[in-house]
Amino acid sequence: MKAPAKSGTRIVTLTMNPALDITTDTDRVIPTDKMRCGLPRYDPGGGGINVARIAHVLGESVLAVFPAGGHAGDKVTDLVAASGVPVRRINVANSTRESFTVDERTTGKQYRFVLPGPRLTDVELTECLDTLSAAAGSADFVVASGSLPPGAPADFYQRVADICRERDAPLILDTSGAGLRHVSSGVYLLKPSVRELRECVGRELISESEQLAAAHELIDRGCAQFVVVSLGSEGALLATPLGSQRYSAVEVPSGSGVGAGDAMTAGITVGLKRGWQLDKAVRLGIAAGGAMLLTPGTAQCLREDVERLFEMVADPIDIDRARWLSARVKTSR
């Protein structure tokens, strides 16, 4: 289960709806009254940008492609560049969105406020695809991660998959909603959460067997060669054409979960870039996701934490094929 060999030089990430992430804290979050907050922390956000930063931390050569506009877009661009990740920015007329996270000190609860992104013109969307196409030519992997901006065609990520296929660059996709539902082919590895998988197939997916049956359904349709279903604190499931595996999460102190899914995607991609088998790459993804729980807000995790947790991730457990086959038969009736 290795990725196809290619003489590319880096990982290319695409973030169609980046954000300026602002994180702060306060004693209590209550209505009406003013809440005095601590000093804010600013981080560049958006799925692909988060993946790029973590992959860079893990020692890989990365290029981040994203549209950006306005003062928030300038700030995001500067922050990504300052983290050591090269940037290929597509200038857009409207301002990049901002996201706001507040940690409540008295309870440990976290409140996330996510604003909609800017509406991109057809010309701007086309420029994003053209820029990606040029960058993908020298890429070992392309990672498209995050939501689509308002007004983007629902099949935008299918267009991305078509470009990657033409450029012989394996695509790793982590998205949700219409952007996921309209992908029909060309994805090397798909990484949905259970919620995203549920929305994609239109079923509850209560049991592990039902979740795996849905993942294998996407493989059977030709949407993706492999599917990794992230389960948060429960670990992950890996579906392949030949079977399934279950991975346990590593135990770490509870902390901010912001960016943990993106870190998992980054870890898997880095493992594949190193030429590892897919099951080992997923273990690195779980370690990277766990390491994000040790960081404040959307701050990038530390390489030493990822490497330490990687040694703690147990080998996966093979799952009886009959179980998810049975669940798949039931859902097809």
Side-chain angles (χ1 to χ4, degrees):
M1 292 185 289
K2 284 186 179 181
K6 191 184 178 200
S7 57
T9 58
R10 56 187 160 188
I11 296 167
V12 173
T13 70
L14 176 67
T15 311
M16 287 306 300
N17 201 14
L20 177 61
D21 287 336
I22 306 169
T23 304
T24 188
D25 57 17
T26 191
D27 286 335
R28 291 184 60 201
V29 177
I30 54 178
T32 309
D33 289 356
K34 291 181 179 179
M35 291 167 283
R36 303 295 178 181
C37 298
L39 292 175
R41 177 187 175 92
Y42 296 91
D43 290 294
I49 287 175
N50 293 336
V51 170
R53 294 168 69 211
I54 302 305
H56 174 72
V57 165
L58 295 178
E60 295 299 329
S61 173
V62 191
L63 174 69
V65 176
F66 56 88
H71 294 301
D74 292 341
K75 183 71 170 176
V76 168
T77 303
D78 291 344
L79 287 169
V80 175
S83 72
V85 174
V87 168
R88 195 73 53 83
R89 170 178 171 168
I90 298 93
N91 291 312
V92 298
N94 293 323
S95 182
T96 296
R97 63 181 175 145
E98 297 181 6
S99 296
F100 193 60
T101 299
V102 180
D103 294 320
E104 190 175 53
R105 291 190 290 263
T106 55
T107 64
K109 293 181 179 179
Q110 185 177 81
Y111 298 84
R112 305 181 192 178
F113 304 88
V114 180
L115 301 180
R119 185 175 293 269
L120 273 58
T121 67
D122 290 342
V123 171
E124 291 167 345
L125 290 168
T126 298
E127 187 176 354
C128 290
L129 292 174
D130 290 344
T131 302
L132 175 68
S133 179
S138 62
D140 288 312
F141 288 93
V142 171
V143 180
S145 181
S147 61
L148 291 172
D155 68 345
F156 187 87
Y157 279 131
Q158 182 57 53
R159 301 182 194 183
V160 170
D162 292 341
I163 287 172
C164 291
R165 182 163 43 200
E166 293 169 1
R167 306 297 280 173
D168 194 26
L171 172 64
I172 295 174
L173 179 63
D174 183 1
T175 190
S176 60
L180 176 56
R181 290 194 300 272
H182 285 79
V183 171
S184 59
S185 64
V187 176
Y188 177 71
L189 186 145
L190 186 65
K191 195 207 74 66
S193 65
V194 172
R195 175 186 60 79
E196 292 163 348
L197 184 61
R198 182 186 303 123
E199 293 173 352
C200 182
V201 300
R203 301 195 298 273
E204 282 298 312
L205 307 183
I206 301 300
S207 69
E208 177 185 279
S209 296
E210 292 172 337
Q211 294 159 10
L212 282 171
H216 281 279
E217 180 181 316
L218 297 181
I219 294 174
D220 292 345
R221 287 185 200 168
C223 299
Q225 293 184 47
F226 306 102
V227 178
V228 175
V229 183
S230 58
L231 306 177
S233 61
E234 299 299 317
L237 299 171
L238 168 63
T240 81
L242 300 178
S244 306
Q245 294 178 325
R246 182 199 303 112
Y247 296 75
S248 298
V250 289
E251 292 188 10
V252 295
S254 61
S256 171
V258 179
D262 297 327
M264 182 179 185
T265 301
I268 294 171
T269 307
V270 167
L272 293 172
K273 173 70 169 57
R274 293 174 179 174
W276 294 359
Q277 295 287 343
L278 182 53
D279 56 352
K280 184 177 179 181
V282 174
R283 286 177 54 209
L284 185 62
I286 289 174
M292 280 299 292
L293 298 176
L294 305 176
T295 65
T298 53
Q300 58 197 29
C301 58
L302 301 178
R303 182 170 184 170
E304 52 264 37
D305 286 335
V306 177
E307 293 173 345
R308 175 175 56 83
L309 293 177
F310 175 68
E311 298 300 323
M312 299 168 57
V313 180
D315 290 333
I317 298 173
D318 291 329
I319 298 175
D320 182 7
R321 191 168 185 264
R323 291 174 55 195
W324 54 263
L325 278 176
S326 175
R328 184 166 55 175
V329 169
K330 290 178 182 178
T331 57
S332 64
R333 288 175 181 171

PDB file of all heavy atoms in Angstrom, residues 1-2 6 8 10 12 22 32 40 47 62 78 116 134 140 147-148 162 171 181 201 209 215 223 233 235 240 255 299:
ATOM      1  N   MET A   1       0.834  -1.204   0.000  1.00  0.00           N
ATOM      2  CA  MET A   1       0.000   0.000   0.000  1.00  0.00           C
ATOM      3  C   MET A   1       0.869   1.255   0.000  1.00  0.00           C
ATOM      4  O   MET A   1       0.653   2.186   0.754  1.00  0.00           O
ATOM      5  CB  MET A   1      -0.943   0.004   1.192  1.00  0.00           C
ATOM      6  CG  MET A   1      -2.009  -1.071   1.132  1.00  0.00           C
ATOM      7  SD  MET A   1      -3.198  -0.954   2.481  1.00  0.00           S
ATOM      8  CE  MET A   1      -2.152  -1.484   3.840  1.00  0.00           C
ATOM      9  N   LYS A   2       1.860   1.272  -0.836  1.00  0.00           N
ATOM     10  CA  LYS A   2       2.685   2.460  -0.992  1.00  0.00           C
ATOM     11  C   LYS A   2       2.129   3.342  -2.095  1.00  0.00           C
ATOM     12  O   LYS A   2       1.480   2.873  -3.029  1.00  0.00           O
ATOM     13  CB  LYS A   2       4.126   2.076  -1.329  1.00  0.00           C
ATOM     14  CG  LYS A   2       4.941   1.549  -0.159  1.00  0.00           C
ATOM     15  CD  LYS A   2       6.374   1.351  -0.585  1.00  0.00           C
ATOM     16  CE  LYS A   2       7.226   0.847   0.584  1.00  0.00           C
ATOM     17  NZ  LYS A   2       8.632   0.659   0.200  1.00  0.00           N
ATOM     18  N   LYS A   6       7.484   8.762  -7.636  1.00  0.00           N
ATOM     19  CA  LYS A   6       7.556   9.925  -8.500  1.00  0.00           C
ATOM     20  C   LYS A   6       8.749  10.758  -8.088  1.00  0.00           C
ATOM     21  O   LYS A   6       9.116  10.795  -6.918  1.00  0.00           O
ATOM     22  CB  LYS A   6       6.271  10.753  -8.408  1.00  0.00           C
ATOM     23  CG  LYS A   6       6.167  11.823  -9.481  1.00  0.00           C
ATOM     24  CD  LYS A   6       4.925  12.660  -9.280  1.00  0.00           C
ATOM     25  CE  LYS A   6       4.878  13.756 -10.340  1.00  0.00           C
ATOM     26  NZ  LYS A   6       4.008  14.859  -9.949  1.00  0.00           N
ATOM     27  N   GLY A   8       9.094  13.885  -7.712  1.00  0.00           N
ATOM     28  CA  GLY A   8       8.763  15.230  -7.265  1.00  0.00           C
ATOM     29  C   GLY A   8       9.629  15.656  -6.098  1.00  0.00           C
ATOM     30  O   GLY A   8      10.366  14.877  -5.520  1.00  0.00           O
ATOM     31  N   ARG A  10       8.317  17.859  -3.415  1.00  0.00           N
ATOM     32  CA  ARG A  10       7.671  18.419  -2.240  1.00  0.00           C
ATOM     33  C   ARG A  10       6.205  18.044  -2.159  1.00  0.00           C
ATOM     34  O   ARG A  10       5.642  17.423  -3.063  1.00  0.00           O
ATOM     35  CB  ARG A  10       7.790  19.932  -2.262  1.00  0.00           C
ATOM     36  CG  ARG A  10       7.246  20.594  -3.517  1.00  0.00           C
ATOM     37  CD  ARG A  10       7.563  22.062  -3.517  1.00  0.00           C
ATOM     38  NE  ARG A  10       7.487  22.634  -4.853  1.00  0.00           N
ATOM     39  CZ  ARG A  10       7.878  23.863  -5.140  1.00  0.00           C
ATOM     40  NH1 ARG A  10       8.363  24.632  -4.186  1.00  0.00           N
ATOM     41  NH2 ARG A  10       7.792  24.330  -6.365  1.00  0.00           N
ATOM     42  N   VAL A  12       2.525  19.724  -1.961  1.00  0.00           N
ATOM     43  CA  VAL A  12       1.808  20.949  -2.298  1.00  0.00           C
ATOM     44  C   VAL A  12       0.450  20.898  -1.612  1.00  0.00           C
ATOM     45  O   VAL A  12      -0.270  19.905  -1.731  1.00  0.00           O
ATOM     46  CB  VAL A  12       1.626  21.107  -3.818  1.00  0.00           C
ATOM     47  CG1 VAL A  12       0.727  22.302  -4.130  1.00  0.00           C
ATOM     48  CG2 VAL A  12       2.976  21.277  -4.508  1.00  0.00           C
ATOM     49  N   ILE A  22      -7.742  33.734  15.387  1.00  0.00           N
ATOM     50  CA  ILE A  22      -7.460  34.538  16.568  1.00  0.00           C
ATOM     51  C   ILE A  22      -7.908  33.736  17.789  1.00  0.00           C
ATOM     52  O   ILE A  22      -9.055  33.293  17.865  1.00  0.00           O
ATOM     53  CB  ILE A  22      -8.205  35.888  16.518  1.00  0.00           C
ATOM     54  CG1 ILE A  22      -7.879  36.621  15.218  1.00  0.00           C
ATOM     55  CG2 ILE A  22      -7.847  36.753  17.723  1.00  0.00           C
ATOM     56  CD1 ILE A  22      -8.763  37.832  14.955  1.00  0.00           C
ATOM     57  N   THR A  32     -24.378  39.309  26.978  1.00  0.00           N
ATOM     58  CA  THR A  32     -24.584  40.732  27.273  1.00  0.00           C
ATOM     59  C   THR A  32     -23.364  41.423  27.876  1.00  0.00           C
ATOM     60  O   THR A  32     -22.899  42.449  27.370  1.00  0.00           O
ATOM     61  CB  THR A  32     -25.804  40.946  28.192  1.00  0.00           C
ATOM     62  OG1 THR A  32     -26.930  40.266  27.655  1.00  0.00           O
ATOM     63  CG2 THR A  32     -26.102  42.430  28.316  1.00  0.00           C
ATOM     64  N   PRO A  40      -4.400  38.232  22.573  1.00  0.00           N
ATOM     65  CA  PRO A  40      -4.754  37.333  21.471  1.00  0.00           C
ATOM     66  C   PRO A  40      -3.528  36.690  20.834  1.00  0.00           C
ATOM     67  O   PRO A  40      -2.431  37.255  20.846  1.00  0.00           O
ATOM     68  CB  PRO A  40      -5.454  38.266  20.479  1.00  0.00           C
ATOM     69  CG  PRO A  40      -4.817  39.598  20.717  1.00  0.00           C
ATOM     70  CD  PRO A  40      -4.537  39.662  22.207  1.00  0.00           C
ATOM     71  N   GLY A  47      -7.508  24.444   6.320  1.00  0.00           N
ATOM     72  CA  GLY A  47      -7.007  23.079   6.317  1.00  0.00           C
ATOM     73  C   GLY A  47      -5.646  22.887   5.685  1.00  0.00           C
ATOM     74  O   GLY A  47      -4.722  22.356   6.303  1.00  0.00           O
ATOM     75  N   VAL A  62       7.551  21.819   1.550  1.00  0.00           N
ATOM     76  CA  VAL A  62       6.135  22.061   1.317  1.00  0.00           C
ATOM     77  C   VAL A  62       5.936  23.385   0.585  1.00  0.00           C
ATOM     78  O   VAL A  62       6.696  24.341   0.795  1.00  0.00           O
ATOM     79  CB  VAL A  62       5.351  22.118   2.648  1.00  0.00           C
ATOM     80  CG1 VAL A  62       3.850  22.105   2.401  1.00  0.00           C
ATOM     81  CG2 VAL A  62       5.736  20.988   3.570  1.00  0.00           C
ATOM     82  N   ASP A  78       1.831  36.569   5.536  1.00  0.00           N
ATOM     83  CA  ASP A  78       3.055  36.848   6.296  1.00  0.00           C
ATOM     84  C   ASP A  78       3.321  35.764   7.350  1.00  0.00           C
ATOM     85  O   ASP A  78       4.468  35.350   7.556  1.00  0.00           O
ATOM     86  CB  ASP A  78       2.957  38.218   6.974  1.00  0.00           C
ATOM     87  CG  ASP A  78       2.984  39.370   5.971  1.00  0.00           C
ATOM     88  OD1 ASP A  78       3.382  39.146   4.810  1.00  0.00           O
ATOM     89  OD2 ASP A  78       2.586  40.491   6.359  1.00  0.00           O
ATOM     90  N   PRO A 116     -17.838  33.269   7.498  1.00  0.00           N
ATOM     91  CA  PRO A 116     -17.785  32.775   6.119  1.00  0.00           C
ATOM     92  C   PRO A 116     -16.623  33.405   5.367  1.00  0.00           C
ATOM     93  O   PRO A 116     -16.180  34.514   5.690  1.00  0.00           O
ATOM     94  CB  PRO A 116     -19.129  33.215   5.539  1.00  0.00           C
ATOM     95  CG  PRO A 116     -19.511  34.415   6.355  1.00  0.00           C
ATOM     96  CD  PRO A 116     -19.004  34.137   7.742  1.00  0.00           C
ATOM     97  N   ALA A 134       0.198  24.151 -12.105  1.00  0.00           N
ATOM     98  CA  ALA A 134       1.627  24.419 -12.309  1.00  0.00           C
ATOM     99  C   ALA A 134       2.458  23.847 -11.170  1.00  0.00           C
ATOM    100  O   ALA A 134       3.532  23.281 -11.391  1.00  0.00           O
ATOM    101  CB  ALA A 134       1.853  25.920 -12.433  1.00  0.00           C
ATOM    102  N   ASP A 140       5.222  15.454  -5.126  1.00  0.00           N
ATOM    103  CA  ASP A 140       5.040  14.046  -4.789  1.00  0.00           C
ATOM    104  C   ASP A 140       3.604  13.791  -4.353  1.00  0.00           C
ATOM    105  O   ASP A 140       3.037  12.739  -4.634  1.00  0.00           O
ATOM    106  CB  ASP A 140       5.987  13.647  -3.658  1.00  0.00           C
ATOM    107  CG  ASP A 140       7.429  13.564  -4.131  1.00  0.00           C
ATOM    108  OD1 ASP A 140       7.678  12.935  -5.165  1.00  0.00           O
ATOM    109  OD2 ASP A 140       8.297  14.134  -3.465  1.00  0.00           O
ATOM    110  N   SER A 147     -12.755  23.736   3.761  1.00  0.00           N
ATOM    111  CA  SER A 147     -14.026  24.044   3.112  1.00  0.00           C
ATOM    112  C   SER A 147     -13.805  24.836   1.831  1.00  0.00           C
ATOM    113  O   SER A 147     -12.731  25.391   1.591  1.00  0.00           O
ATOM    114  CB  SER A 147     -14.910  24.843   4.067  1.00  0.00           C
ATOM    115  OG  SER A 147     -14.273  26.074   4.414  1.00  0.00           O
ATOM    116  N   LEU A 148     -14.847  24.892   1.019  1.00  0.00           N
ATOM    117  CA  LEU A 148     -14.834  25.736  -0.171  1.00  0.00           C
ATOM    118  C   LEU A 148     -15.408  27.112   0.185  1.00  0.00           C
ATOM    119  O   LEU A 148     -16.288  27.227   1.041  1.00  0.00           O
ATOM    120  CB  LEU A 148     -15.677  25.104  -1.280  1.00  0.00           C
ATOM    121  CG  LEU A 148     -15.120  23.826  -1.909  1.00  0.00           C
ATOM    122  CD1 LEU A 148     -16.152  23.215  -2.858  1.00  0.00           C
ATOM    123  CD2 LEU A 148     -13.808  24.101  -2.633  1.00  0.00           C
ATOM    124  N   ASP A 162      -9.068  15.977 -11.009  1.00  0.00           N
ATOM    125  CA  ASP A 162      -8.758  15.788 -12.432  1.00  0.00           C
ATOM    126  C   ASP A 162      -7.388  16.378 -12.773  1.00  0.00           C
ATOM    127  O   ASP A 162      -6.611  15.780 -13.535  1.00  0.00           O
ATOM    128  CB  ASP A 162      -9.835  16.452 -13.291  1.00  0.00           C
ATOM    129  CG  ASP A 162     -11.193  15.756 -13.178  1.00  0.00           C
ATOM    130  OD1 ASP A 162     -11.223  14.582 -12.743  1.00  0.00           O
ATOM    131  OD2 ASP A 162     -12.210  16.392 -13.507  1.00  0.00           O
ATOM    132  N   LEU A 171      -3.523  12.690  -4.957  1.00  0.00           N
ATOM    133  CA  LEU A 171      -4.291  13.685  -4.204  1.00  0.00           C
ATOM    134  C   LEU A 171      -4.792  13.099  -2.898  1.00  0.00           C
ATOM    135  O   LEU A 171      -5.435  12.042  -2.877  1.00  0.00           O
ATOM    136  CB  LEU A 171      -5.481  14.176  -5.030  1.00  0.00           C
ATOM    137  CG  LEU A 171      -6.484  15.087  -4.295  1.00  0.00           C
ATOM    138  CD1 LEU A 171      -5.823  16.401  -3.874  1.00  0.00           C
ATOM    139  CD2 LEU A 171      -7.713  15.348  -5.167  1.00  0.00           C
ATOM    140  N   ARG A 181     -19.279  15.522  -1.359  1.00  0.00           N
ATOM    141  CA  ARG A 181     -20.321  14.729  -2.022  1.00  0.00           C
ATOM    142  C   ARG A 181     -20.173  14.721  -3.541  1.00  0.00           C
ATOM    143  O   ARG A 181     -20.619  13.774  -4.201  1.00  0.00           O
ATOM    144  CB  ARG A 181     -21.705  15.274  -1.648  1.00  0.00           C
ATOM    145  CG  ARG A 181     -22.104  15.015  -0.209  1.00  0.00           C
ATOM    146  CD  ARG A 181     -23.590  15.259   0.006  1.00  0.00           C
ATOM    147  NE  ARG A 181     -23.971  16.624  -0.306  1.00  0.00           N
ATOM    148  CZ  ARG A 181     -23.933  17.635   0.560  1.00  0.00           C
ATOM    149  NH1 ARG A 181     -23.499  17.422   1.799  1.00  0.00           N
ATOM    150  NH2 ARG A 181     -24.318  18.843   0.202  1.00  0.00           N
ATOM    151  N   VAL A 201     -22.659  10.042   2.751  1.00  0.00           N
ATOM    152  CA  VAL A 201     -23.457   8.892   2.320  1.00  0.00           C
ATOM    153  C   VAL A 201     -24.917   9.004   2.741  1.00  0.00           C
ATOM    154  O   VAL A 201     -25.753   8.211   2.299  1.00  0.00           O
ATOM    155  CB  VAL A 201     -22.857   7.572   2.861  1.00  0.00           C
ATOM    156  CG1 VAL A 201     -21.440   7.395   2.357  1.00  0.00           C
ATOM    157  CG2 VAL A 201     -22.898   7.526   4.391  1.00  0.00           C
ATOM    158  N   SER A 209     -18.912  -1.069  12.066  1.00  0.00           N
ATOM    159  CA  SER A 209     -19.162  -1.800  10.826  1.00  0.00           C
ATOM    160  C   SER A 209     -19.851  -0.917   9.792  1.00  0.00           C
ATOM    161  O   SER A 209     -19.517  -0.966   8.601  1.00  0.00           O
ATOM    162  CB  SER A 209     -20.022  -3.040  11.109  1.00  0.00           C
ATOM    163  OG  SER A 209     -19.339  -3.951  11.940  1.00  0.00           O
ATOM    164  N   ALA A 215     -17.162   3.661   4.138  1.00  0.00           N
ATOM    165  CA  ALA A 215     -15.841   3.957   3.583  1.00  0.00           C
ATOM    166  C   ALA A 215     -15.541   3.069   2.378  1.00  0.00           C
ATOM    167  O   ALA A 215     -15.045   3.539   1.342  1.00  0.00           O
ATOM    168  CB  ALA A 215     -14.772   3.771   4.661  1.00  0.00           C
ATOM    169  N   CYS A 223     -14.329   6.665  -5.934  1.00  0.00           N
ATOM    170  CA  CYS A 223     -14.045   8.013  -5.434  1.00  0.00           C
ATOM    171  C   CYS A 223     -12.599   8.124  -4.948  1.00  0.00           C
ATOM    172  O   CYS A 223     -11.938   9.138  -5.167  1.00  0.00           O
ATOM    173  CB  CYS A 223     -14.993   8.381  -4.300  1.00  0.00           C
ATOM    174  SG  CYS A 223     -16.735   8.397  -4.753  1.00  0.00           S
ATOM    175  N   SER A 233     -10.877  11.095  19.613  1.00  0.00           N
ATOM    176  CA  SER A 233     -10.246  10.432  20.758  1.00  0.00           C
ATOM    177  C   SER A 233     -10.317   8.912  20.674  1.00  0.00           C
ATOM    178  O   SER A 233      -9.688   8.213  21.471  1.00  0.00           O
ATOM    179  CB  SER A 233     -10.909  10.891  22.061  1.00  0.00           C
ATOM    180  OG  SER A 233     -12.287  10.550  22.062  1.00  0.00           O
ATOM    181  N   GLY A 235      -9.395   7.267  17.862  1.00  0.00           N
ATOM    182  CA  GLY A 235      -8.399   6.782  16.918  1.00  0.00           C
ATOM    183  C   GLY A 235      -8.834   6.951  15.479  1.00  0.00           C
ATOM    184  O   GLY A 235      -9.300   8.017  15.073  1.00  0.00           O
ATOM    185  N   THR A 240      -9.221  -0.158   2.872  1.00  0.00           N
ATOM    186  CA  THR A 240      -8.467  -0.383   1.636  1.00  0.00           C
ATOM    187  C   THR A 240      -9.245  -1.374   0.780  1.00  0.00           C
ATOM    188  O   THR A 240     -10.174  -2.036   1.266  1.00  0.00           O
ATOM    189  CB  THR A 240      -7.064  -0.938   1.922  1.00  0.00           C
ATOM    190  OG1 THR A 240      -7.154  -2.359   2.157  1.00  0.00           O
ATOM    191  CG2 THR A 240      -6.426  -0.257   3.138  1.00  0.00           C
ATOM    192  N   GLY A 255      -6.620  19.068  25.609  1.00  0.00           N
ATOM    193  CA  GLY A 255      -6.258  20.439  25.253  1.00  0.00           C
ATOM    194  C   GLY A 255      -7.072  20.883  24.065  1.00  0.00           C
ATOM    195  O   GLY A 255      -8.098  20.285  23.733  1.00  0.00           O
ATOM    196  N   ALA A 299      -1.745  26.832  17.260  1.00  0.00           N
ATOM    197  CA  ALA A 299      -0.283  26.796  17.168  1.00  0.00           C
ATOM    198  C   ALA A 299       0.158  25.433  16.654  1.00  0.00           C
ATOM    199  O   ALA A 299      -0.451  24.414  16.952  1.00  0.00           O
ATOM    200  CB  ALA A 299       0.335  27.059  18.540  1.00  0.00           C
TER     201      ALA A 299
END
